[in-house]
């Protein structure tokens, strides 16, 4: 196994994740098989309990792992399927060490950070790096490891020490360290400053790790003189000073690295040149350039709770992008805080209320993404009602599907008090209820997580067609509540159709409203499996409907002329 370790210095938020996944893309383009590990030195065991307000979206994997959103970037960039163990946290490491200690596995020894915690980290990395993630058999050629945080943070110390030991044991040929840093420009002279990078490299070296490459983030391309200075002062060959300057979109980063021959230098370092091919990035280039030149945009109203921080819905935004690019459209996401649509807001914050409604009315489609808790629910119900009554394409994801059901029960069935027991435990009309799965693999947890199969009930529905007439789909879940099976009958009599159910037939997975051009709700999160070049069927459906192309597309697709 060859390891590429990516560390970060100077400041956080440098785009270390994107840099690391772009390195993976370039190596993959050279014919190598690539896997990745993200290390998050925080104490949380996983990202499951972390607020999207603070940390961005919680990404969900096939195996039900609730992980850092960077794993989403890796899955999208490298087109792989990672496991929960590909995300290492301090919490997970300590948990495993403490479990061993309680079992008596340390045979009476004093359990210490070095060697016990560091050994646990090394073992974890060595075990996980060989798990195949690309659908093929056997381990990948290269494992890209991203160390979260900034070098020098107290909490990342045991990881740095473990990685130093790993380097020592696998040797120079099998370990390549790329340090991502920032080159700011200061003052009127506009000089590119290398000092912060020098300091962070010094910090890394003091911990026993010398970077082989620097990936320097900067606004403008680095000057030759800046590179030479960095090389001299940081002890890194000048051909190994890579520059990631600002680009119009992140898909350019692998291309930027390729243009600097980063792949060749990394392959040389890892002694992989003989097995690699020249990088094949045609598709990738085409997509990056298409993205730059998109002219026509489509307006998507995103009605949610966490709209202040776009990272809270990162995968949804990416899935919209994938779908739009497939149709040569530019996504224009209009964020609407659901609570601004509510009646109360017309008095408390009238301007926000008017603006929210104007934005909703101007959009070509409405998307209500997943969420927890009752904040903004009334606003989401109003958005769903508006979309249903005005034939505006609607996609409800997870909470967004539950909202569609509650709204329909209230407006069409006249059940004024219809609700989810999540928002009103004593509602007289519980149309969405808590239905624990009792999964043996998820003991102790009440959340239904990860990939589950949905059986399409009929080929004669929009969703089945969008999914290429497949009889089932495997999508990822993250929810506790579900449509109450007891009300399915009356909802269907009144016009809703549950066209996707789980294998037991009790859990409603997909709803459609046949009297509407595109009114779809899904209990799962299709955004997590959307890929550049392979958009999620449902997001594509939403965009096609929003631009009046759905019918033509489906006809063509059914004729096989697509
Ligand atoms: N809060 C809802 C539930 O637990 C929806 C969850 C979601 O949207 N991810 O079922």
């Amino acid at each position: 196994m060859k390891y590429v370790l990516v560390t970060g210095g100077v400041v956080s938020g440098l785009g270390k994740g994107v840099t690391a996944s772009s390195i993976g893309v370039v190596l993959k383009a050279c014919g190598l098989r690539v896997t990745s590990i993200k290390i998050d030195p925080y104490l949380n065991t996983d990202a499951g309990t972390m607020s999207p307000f603070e940390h961005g979206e919680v990404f969900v994997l096939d195996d039900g792992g609730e992980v850092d959103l960077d794993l989403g970037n890796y899955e999208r960039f490298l087109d792989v399927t990672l496991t929960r163990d590909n995300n290492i946290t301090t919490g997970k490491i300590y948990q495993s060490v403490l479990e061993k200690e309680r079992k008596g596995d340390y045979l009476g020894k004093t359990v210490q950070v070095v060697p016990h915690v560091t050994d646990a980290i090394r073992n974890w990395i060595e075990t996980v790096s060989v798990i195949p993630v690309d659908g093929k058999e056997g381990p990948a050629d290269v494992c890209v490891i991203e160390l979260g945080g900034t070098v020098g943070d107290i909490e990342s110390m045991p990881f740095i020490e473990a990685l130093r030991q790993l380097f020592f044991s696998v040797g120079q040929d099998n370990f390549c360290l790329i340090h991502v840093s920032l080159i700011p420009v200061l003052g009127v002279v506009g000089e590119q400053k290398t000092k912060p990078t020098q300091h962070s490299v010094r910090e890394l070296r003091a911990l026993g790790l010398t970077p082989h490459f620097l990936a320097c983030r900067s606004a403008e391309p680095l000057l030759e003189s800046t590179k030479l200075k960095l090389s001299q002062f940081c002890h890194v060959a000048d051909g190994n000073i890579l520059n990631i300057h600002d680009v119009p979109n992140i898909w350019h980063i692998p291309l930027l690295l390729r243009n600097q021959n980063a792949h060749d230098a990394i392959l040389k370092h890892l002694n992989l040149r003989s097995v690699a091919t020249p990088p094949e990035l045609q598709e990738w280039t085409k997509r990056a350039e298409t993205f730059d030149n998109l002219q026509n945009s489509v307006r998507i109203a995103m009605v949610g709770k966490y709209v202040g921080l776009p990272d809270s819905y990162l995968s949804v935004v990416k899935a919209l992008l994938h779908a739009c690019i497939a149709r040569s459209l530019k996504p224009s996401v209009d964020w609407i805080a659901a609570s601004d649509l509510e009646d109360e807001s017309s008095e408390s914050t009238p301007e926000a209320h008017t603006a929210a409604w104007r934005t909703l009315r101007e959009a070509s489609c409405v998307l209500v993404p997943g969420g927890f808790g009752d904040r903004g629910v009334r606003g989401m119900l109003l958005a769903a009602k508006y979309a249903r009554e005005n034939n505006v394409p609607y996609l409800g994801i997870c909470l967004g599907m539950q909202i569609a059901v509650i709204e329909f029960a209230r407006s069409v069935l006249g059940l004024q008090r219809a609700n989810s027991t999540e928002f009103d435990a004593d509602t007289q009309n519980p149309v969405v209820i808590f239905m624990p799965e009792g999964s043996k693999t998820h003991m102790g947890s009440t959340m239904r997580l990860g990939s589950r199969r949905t059986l399409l009930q009929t080929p004669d529905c929009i969703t089945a067609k969008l999914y290429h007439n497949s009889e089932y789909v495997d999508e990822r879940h993250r929810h506790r509540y579900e449509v109450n099976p007891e009300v399915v009958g009356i909802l269907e009599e009144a016009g809703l159709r549950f066209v996707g159910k789980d294998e037991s037939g009790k859990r409603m997975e997909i709803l459609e409203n046949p009297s509407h051009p595109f009114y779809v709700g899904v209990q799962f999160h299709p955004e997590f499996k959307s890929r550049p070049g392979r958009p999620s069927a449902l997001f594509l459906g939403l965009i096609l409907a929003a631009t009046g192309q759905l019918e033509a597309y489906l006809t063509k697709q059914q004729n096989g002329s697509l």
Side-chain angles (χ1 to χ4, degrees):
M1 176 60 59
K2 308 272 181 181
Y3 299 98
V4 175
L5 169 63
V6 179
T7 55
V10 184
V11 287
S12 59
L14 281 179
K16 217 177 337 122
V18 174
T19 306
S21 24
S22 299
I23 290 165
V25 169
V26 186
L27 295 177
K28 190 178 166 193
C30 293
L32 298 169
R33 290 176 56 209
V34 181
T35 181
S36 78
I37 294 177
K38 168 84 197 285
I39 299 176
D40 282 307
Y42 47 65
L43 277 159
N44 304 55
T45 317
D46 61 31
T49 56
M50 294 170 97
S51 160
F53 279 127
E54 195 165 312
H55 211 81
E57 125 191 311
V58 176
F59 192 78
V60 182
L61 299 169
D62 262 2
D63 68 5
E66 297 174 282
V67 294
D68 190 86
L69 52 78
D70 273 322
L71 274 86
N73 263 333
Y74 289 110
E75 284 209 341
R76 285 186 285 266
F77 267 49
L78 299 173
D79 198 7
V80 291
T81 303
L82 299 173
T83 72
R84 67 175 74 228
D85 290 343
N86 290 72
N87 193 189
I88 307 181
T89 64
T90 296
K92 283 185 189 169
I93 295 291
Y94 274 83
Q95 200 167 40
S96 72
V97 170
L98 292 174
E99 261 167 34
K100 271 176 87 173
E101 186 273 334
R102 288 292 82 186
K103 278 201 283 173
D105 287 359
Y106 293 112
L107 306 173
K109 289 250 180 302
T110 309
V111 183
Q112 295 181 295
V113 173
V114 182
H116 303 105
V117 170
T118 46
D119 279 354
I121 296 170
R122 273 180 57 189
N123 288 341
W124 195 300
I125 292 174
E126 285 174 317
T127 314
V128 171
S129 60
V130 296
I131 299 175
V133 294
D134 55 1
K136 298 190 184 130
E137 272 178 30
D141 303 303
V142 179
C143 176
V144 177
I145 306 172
E146 178 194 347
L147 176 62
T150 307
V151 167
D153 292 347
I154 290 180
E155 49 189 18
S156 61
M157 290 300 177
F159 291 102
I160 301 245
E161 171 57 16
L163 290 159
R164 186 196 64 72
Q165 291 179 18
L166 180 69
F167 178 23
F168 187 62
S169 74
V170 299
Q172 187 80 254
D173 277 6
N174 299 312
F175 194 98
C176 164
L177 170 51
I178 303 179
H179 188 57
V180 184
S181 179
L182 175 72
I183 306 292
V185 168
L186 279 192
V188 269
V189 208
E191 198 187 342
Q192 294 179 329
K193 294 291 190 187
T194 62
K195 193 72 83 191
T197 305
Q198 293 179 39
H199 278 296
S200 80
V201 169
R202 190 175 303 163
E203 185 128 36
L204 201 52
R205 295 182 65 189
L207 299 169
L209 283 170
T210 298
H212 307 110
F213 288 81
L214 291 181
C216 302
R217 290 281 291 109
S218 59
E220 298 294 330
L222 283 193
L223 300 173
E224 237 8 78
S225 55
T226 314
K227 283 194 188 171
L228 285 177
K229 197 167 174 186
L230 283 165
S231 166
Q232 222 164 35
F233 286 53
C234 300
H235 198 83
V236 174
D238 60 355
N240 290 4
I241 312 275
L242 309 172
N243 179 208
I244 300 175
H245 54 76
D246 289 354
V247 282
N249 71 68
I250 59 168
W251 290 341
H252 281 284
I253 296 174
L255 306 175
L256 205 59
L257 291 168
R258 190 259 333 254
N259 296 348
Q260 297 172 42
N261 274 325
H263 57 287
D264 200 44
I266 297 171
L267 293 172
K268 192 166 151 206
H269 179 100
L270 293 174
N271 208 4
L272 281 172
R273 255 172 152 185
S274 57
V275 292
T277 56
E280 217 290 304
L281 283 163
Q282 270 168 3
E283 276 278 300
W284 195 278
T285 311
K286 206 172 108 198
R287 234 178 356 249
E289 286 169 359
T290 310
F291 190 176
D292 290 342
N293 298 316
L294 297 174
Q295 305 291 338
N296 302 327
S297 62
V298 50
R299 291 182 69 168
I300 305 128
M302 271 272 264
V303 184
K305 173 175 162 187
Y306 317 104
V307 292
L309 180 72
D311 266 7
S312 307
Y313 301 110
L314 189 68
S315 295
V316 176
V317 173
K318 296 292 178 196
L320 285 169
L321 176 67
H322 302 158
C324 283
I325 296 231
R327 306 303 297 174
S328 298
L329 290 162
K330 195 183 185 145
S332 163
V333 180
D334 289 326
W335 299 94
I336 301 178
S339 48
D340 287 344
L341 293 171
E342 295 171 2
D343 295 345
E344 292 77 359
S345 130
S346 66
E347 282 176 16
S348 54
T349 46
E351 276 167 30
H353 181 76
T354 315
W357 274 101
R358 193 186 324 114
T359 311
L360 184 65
R361 290 202 180 94
E362 284 171 1
S364 308
C365 59
V366 178
L367 197 159
V368 178
F372 294 83
D374 67 353
R375 174 136 64 98
V377 159
R378 275 168 304 163
M380 295 173 204
L381 289 168
L382 289 169
K385 185 178 167 75
Y386 162 80
R388 186 178 55 77
E389 291 180 344
N390 295 283
N391 284 339
V392 178
Y394 176 90
L395 178 61
I397 296 177
C398 205
L399 175 62
M401 167 178 176
Q402 299 170 1
I403 291 286
V405 167
I406 300 169
E407 193 283 315
F408 192 87
R410 287 189 189 178
S411 306
V412 181
L413 295 179
L415 303 172
Q416 299 300 328
R417 309 285 301 274
N419 215 335
S420 161
T421 51
E422 180 180 7
F423 315 131
D424 177 1
D426 305 316
T427 173
Q428 288 160 8
N429 306 114
V431 291
V432 176
I433 57 166
F434 179 45
M435 263 170 58
E437 194 171 44
S439 157
K440 292 208 173 57
T441 51
H442 296 98
M443 266 185 303
S445 144
T446 52
M447 189 94 91
R448 190 162 173 255
L449 280 169
S451 183
R452 295 283 188 283
R453 183 151 291 185
T454 294
L455 303 180
L456 285 146
Q457 308 293 304
T458 163
D460 183 27
C461 63
I462 293 176
T463 320
K465 290 178 189 151
L466 283 170
Y467 276 112
H468 301 282
N469 301 329
S470 109
E471 285 171 11
Y472 65 86
V473 289
D474 293 328
E475 295 276 13
R476 298 180 184 173
H477 294 70
R478 182 172 186 248
H479 64 110
R480 281 194 187 86
Y481 296 84
E482 291 174 66
V483 178
N484 184 351
E486 284 178 15
V487 298
V488 167
I490 48 168
L491 289 168
E492 291 206 309
E493 269 164 38
L496 274 193
R497 272 176 97 199
F498 291 94
V499 296
K501 298 183 186 176
D502 81 333
E503 285 160 314
S504 76
K506 283 205 200 94
R507 296 172 196 277
M508 301 304 119
E509 293 279 8
I510 308 172
L511 76 76
E512 285 187 16
N513 184 336
S515 61
H516 187 288
F518 188 89
Y519 197 83
V520 178
V522 283
Q523 191 55 75
F524 48 77
H525 290 266
E527 68 271 25
F528 293 135
K529 283 174 74 170
S530 178
R531 299 279 189 269
R534 215 159 7 93
S536 152
L538 291 160
F539 282 80
L540 187 64
L542 178 72
I543 297 304
L544 288 166
T547 49
Q549 306 177 66
L550 182 63
E551 238 173 275
Y553 173 89
L554 292 180
T555 315
K556 263 194 183 168
Q557 194 218 48
Q558 296 303 303
N559 296 340
S561 57
L562 208 64

